[in-house]
Amino acid sequence: MWTVTTATGTVILVGEIRAIPKTTPWEPARLEEATRAADRVILGARPKVSPGDVFRLMFSGGKLTKLPDKTVASEYLTPDQWARLAALGTAHDEDYSRQSFLLTSFEMLRKELRFNKDTAREPADVVKDAAEKADIAITRAATLRGEDVIDNLFEAPPTAHIPCLTAAMDAVEAGPQIVEERATNWRRFKIPAVMNNPLEAALGQCWPWADETLGSELRTIWVDRVTEASAAKGTTLAVVPLRVLAESGGVLDQLDARGFDIAGPPWK
């Protein structure tokens, strides 16, 4: 957590990572206490998905899972990239030649690193539960139209997901221990180590965060919400993706450049 002192009150920024392993215990009591002392809580943006959006995904799923027009991965990748991908496919008995790069990336992270298996409660859930029990107002940073999110995903060409694929291969080649290391460094407030972790780097290089349109929109939303909170009276607690807070040029850098008093762990 970072505490930002403003002219009218306080903003508490909670840097959240997702998929914290149960083997990395963390005590949410301090976060629950901070939530109960807040006047308002801001949680992450979420898409508003309609039944039409669901049917569209059901009947157009092939566009998300396969490369277009019967093309194959080697047509988009450099020889070195294709050699790495083919070697990983052979090692793990998978055929990645026709699969979309985004699906391949998440499958590798999920199956080989198991980063989202056996996970503990996440900070947003802890804050939401504590705020509801204390009858503290909860707002979302934004509500995104499901149609816009799906359009963004469908319109991205295969080449847009190559950085995600490369980062996912880096993470898998680094080994499964990076999952625990990422969470342990987060628990110990070693923020630069979390940001440099191959798993965190891969998640940040993948959709939606790496998308020029949607990723930029999500970052802008958080900058706007935190700016609004800095002018509000009392205490605002916001649960923000750590990468949005601590990345170069992120929310913390912007607040620091504007001269705000920020108390908390070093982020760079």
Side-chain angles (χ1 to χ4, degrees), residues 226-262:
V226 173
T227 299
E228 292 167 2
S230 69
K233 294 182 179 180
T235 299
T236 302
L237 186 144
V239 183
V240 189
L242 181 64
R243 67 179 62 93
V244 174
L245 289 176
E247 66 188 357
S248 178
V251 171
L252 288 169
D253 277 354
Q254 293 185 44
L255 292 172
D256 186 47
R258 291 169 57 188
F260 281 100
D261 180 15
I262 305 173

Side-chain angles (χ1 to χ4, degrees), residues 94 96 99 103-112:
E94 298 283 353
Y96 296 132
Q99 199 164 260
L103 179 60
T104 293
S105 300
F106 281 119
E107 274 200 357
M108 285 196 295
L109 296 176
R110 179 175 57 85
K111 290 182 178 180
E112 310 311 328

Side-chain angles (χ1 to χ4, degrees), residues 66-200:
K66 299 292 184 182
L67 292 169
D69 303 323
K70 297 184 180 181
T71 57
V72 293
S74 59
E75 296 178 48
Y76 301 95
L77 303 174
T78 67
D80 287 345
Q81 289 170 335
W82 168 240
R84 287 180 72 193
L85 182 60
L88 285 169
T90 299
H92 302 299
D93 196 25
E94 298 283 353
D95 182 5
Y96 296 132
S97 60
R98 281 278 298 127
Q99 199 164 260
S100 80
F101 296 142
L102 184 63
L103 179 60
T104 293
S105 300
F106 281 119
E107 274 200 357
M108 285 196 295
L109 296 176
R110 179 175 57 85
K111 290 182 178 180
E112 310 311 328
L113 297 185
R114 297 178 60 83
F115 84 99
N116 59 347
K117 299 293 185 182
D118 299 322
T119 57
R121 291 178 73 201
E122 295 177 348
D125 297 325
V126 172
V127 169
K128 181 176 180 291
D129 292 345
E132 288 177 344
K133 288 179 181 178
D135 199 24
I136 295 169
I138 300 174
T139 60
R140 289 281 174 176
T143 299
L144 306 174
R145 289 203 318 159
E147 181 181 1
D148 293 338
V149 174
I150 294 171
D151 283 344
N152 176 272
L153 189 54
F154 278 151
E155 291 168 3
T159 51
H161 300 301
I162 292 177
C164 170
L165 176 66
T166 301
M169 291 192 291
D170 290 342
V172 170
E173 290 169 351
Q177 78 283 351
I178 64 173
V179 178
E180 185 82 32
E181 290 172 358
R182 168 178 172 262
T184 298
N185 284 324
W186 174 78
R187 181 172 64 89
R188 294 177 176 172
F189 316 121
K190 296 181 178 180
I191 307 306
V194 177
M195 297 296 288
N196 291 326
N197 182 280
L199 174 57
E200 185 66 24

